[in-house]
Amino acid sequence: TMLFLCSLCVALSAALVQAVADVTENIEVLAFLPQNNSYLFSSARVAPAVLYAQRRLEADARFSGFRFNVHFEDSDCVNGAMFALVERACARKPHLILGPVCEYEAAAVVRLASHWNVPVVSAGALAAGFSKKKTEYAQLTRIAPSYVKMGEIFAAMFERFDWRSALLVYEDDRQERNCFFTLEGIYHMLHDVDMKTYPLDDGVALDTDKVLQNIVDTEAVVIMCMPAEKIRELMLAAHARQLTGGNHMFFNVDLFNASSYGNGSWKKGDKHDNNAKQAFAFLNTVTLLRTVKPEFEVFSEEMKASVKKAEFQDCNDCADVNMFVEGFHDAVLLYAIALYEATKHGYSKRNGTEITSRMWNRTFEGIAGPVSIDENGDRNGDFSLIAMTNTSSGTYEAVANYFGGNGSFQLLPGISADRFTLKGQRKPPPEITEKSCGLGVSALTGVIVGAVLGAAMLITFYFIRKNYKITIERRTQAEECNTAKHRQLREDSIRSNFSV
């Protein structure tokens, strides 16, 4: 009996091993990342995060049957990714594509992938045009908040503080157009705002006089996206012209903590530092909300160790964990969750539509905290508003947060709404509490005026009609002898009365 039981255990173990082997899936992953380390999403920065996620998944019992074979291809932010995808697809199409980030390059790759039914998950492709998913971008899932999602915090502030006009100032390189796409998201969200745009050519000196004149004409909120040195130059000029006294509100957008987007840094070590610090006291910066948990700290240390080991000569800041590094890590995790659910329900790894649909409209725990993907496959964004709270030291801290999941804008404790009140802006008229049958004052006034005018018109019409009738009767009695002449006179009378 004992021998039989041992034999049975061995047989069951062998069957179990064979069953596990049978369900092992090799997942071909194609990741598009630039080799050029000037990009914040270069391979040197992001590849360690993708491989870190791969190791985590292989150690997780739920995903132990998956083998993620990651192939990194160079993305030049032009056509490199598209050419590489076409060449690789001739032999075998990938099961998952990570990236690209740059808008124009991503557009071509996502169109091909959607045609081939291959899921694409990217921490880029943030422009507003990618929101239209039903046709050419059907397989795209954006694991980082898009620029339109970022625009939601501005829409919430404009409504909360009753701002009515805005000037968008941005540098446009006419190639990758990062700042153009960034402020385009805000433009799409501010539907009821009087808005002007002021593009600056890349590489051309800043004409502060022209920009300041546009600021004066706008008389409200100025939102900027341009290199840090130009933001500093413009804020110094605005402060010198006394435009920072409260009649205008100044913002810059920095989702990635990069000087190319204007990272809110006033200190440069020159003779203008003191004035710059005073000017930057009136500058507010919109950035991503950071949530720190122990798991994220371990991840950050691992990324720093990986970059240090690689000894990159041209990338001093490659160890910094930014939105792209987090996003590509979470992209692998999100796909694995969706693939696991799809295979449990009998779907193949090649059913990209099914897997993509399971990545949308869900929330999962990412490396830095909860990640919420909406029903359109776009991540809901949580953002912070950073401002200088200590003018003597010139230090910053968060003064408000916006949570995209429920659309709430919250001032942090100790921060007054007066900070965001424009001094020159007229306050909206107070609400009238008098009884008016549920109608506002303007509506009630309109009803009364309309009634009076209607009554006057009816009375006027009555007297005209009565006068007309008497005239016709008199002329009819006096002119019965001449029918033709009577008809002519009758017509003349009618015309005469209508003319009157």
Side-chain angles (χ1 to χ4, degrees), residues 70-81:
V70 184
H71 308 277
F72 294 98
E73 290 284 354
D74 187 17
S75 164
D76 60 4
C77 280
V78 185
N79 291 316

Side-chain angles (χ1 to χ4, degrees), residues 92-111:
R92 177 186 295 179
K93 293 184 181 68
H95 303 115
L96 168 65
I97 297 173
L98 298 177
V101 170
C102 297
E103 268 70 16
Y104 293 116
E105 191 175 35
V109 169
V110 176
R111 287 189 183 108

Side-chain angles (χ1 to χ4, degrees), residues 60-72:
D60 192 320
R62 291 180 301 166
F63 312 114
S64 58
F66 299 146
R67 294 292 179 267
F68 290 92
N69 303 316
V70 184
H71 308 277
F72 294 98

Side-chain angles (χ1 to χ4, degrees), residues 291 293 363-366 368-372 379 382:
T291 56
K293 60 179 185 177
T363 299
F364 69 101
E365 192 65 25
V371 177
S372 173
R379 179 172 179 170
D382 297 335

Side-chain angles (χ1 to χ4, degrees), residues 63-216:
F63 312 114
S64 58
F66 299 146
R67 294 292 179 267
F68 290 92
N69 303 316
V70 184
H71 308 277
F72 294 98
E73 290 284 354
D74 187 17
S75 164
D76 60 4
C77 280
V78 185
N79 291 316
M82 181 185 67
F83 295 151
L85 175 60
V86 172
E87 290 175 358
R88 184 172 288 274
C90 290
R92 177 186 295 179
K93 293 184 181 68
H95 303 115
L96 168 65
I97 297 173
L98 298 177
V101 170
C102 297
E103 268 70 16
Y104 293 116
E105 191 175 35
V109 169
V110 176
R111 287 189 183 108
L112 280 174
S114 297
H115 177 69
W116 291 336
N117 198 26
V118 176
V120 181
V121 187
S122 179
L126 305 178
F130 290 101
S131 300
K132 301 175 182 178
K133 301 286 186 67
K134 292 188 177 180
T135 53
E136 54 189 353
Y137 305 131
Q139 293 292 333
L140 175 63
T141 302
R142 296 193 280 187
I143 197 68
S146 69
Y147 296 134
V148 171
K149 294 291 187 183
M150 181 270 298
E152 291 178 359
I153 184 175
F154 283 98
M157 287 190 290
F158 270 77
E159 181 179 1
R160 172 78 174 269
F161 304 116
D162 196 33
W163 299 333
R164 303 180 189 119
S165 59
L167 175 66
L168 307 184
V169 184
Y170 63 95
E171 183 175 90
D172 194 352
D173 61 5
R174 306 291 178 179
Q175 295 179 2
E176 296 173 19
R177 310 196 74 183
N178 292 319
C179 276
F180 170 83
F181 289 124
T182 300
L183 296 196
E184 181 196 27
I186 301 173
Y187 188 91
H188 275 268
M189 290 303 301
L190 301 181
H191 307 293
D192 302 323
V193 173
D194 181 17
M195 202 164 356
K196 297 179 182 178
T197 59
Y198 191 93
L200 305 170
D201 291 332
D202 179 31
V204 177
L206 180 64
D207 189 338
T208 55
D209 289 337
K210 285 187 178 181
V211 180
L212 292 180
Q213 187 57 53
N214 276 269
I215 292 174
V216 171

Side-chain angles (χ1 to χ4, degrees), residues 18 32 38-39 41 53 82 105 133 227 240 243 265-266 297 307 313 341 384 409 428 431 433 472 500:
Q18 183 61 40
F32 290 114
S38 65
Y39 291 102
F41 42 88
M82 181 185 67
E105 191 175 35
K133 301 286 186 67
L243 298 179
S265 176
W266 56 267
E297 295 297 332
V307 171
Q313 301 299 321
E341 290 184 357
S384 289
F409 178 82
E431 296 182 1
T433 57
I472 293 300
V500 173

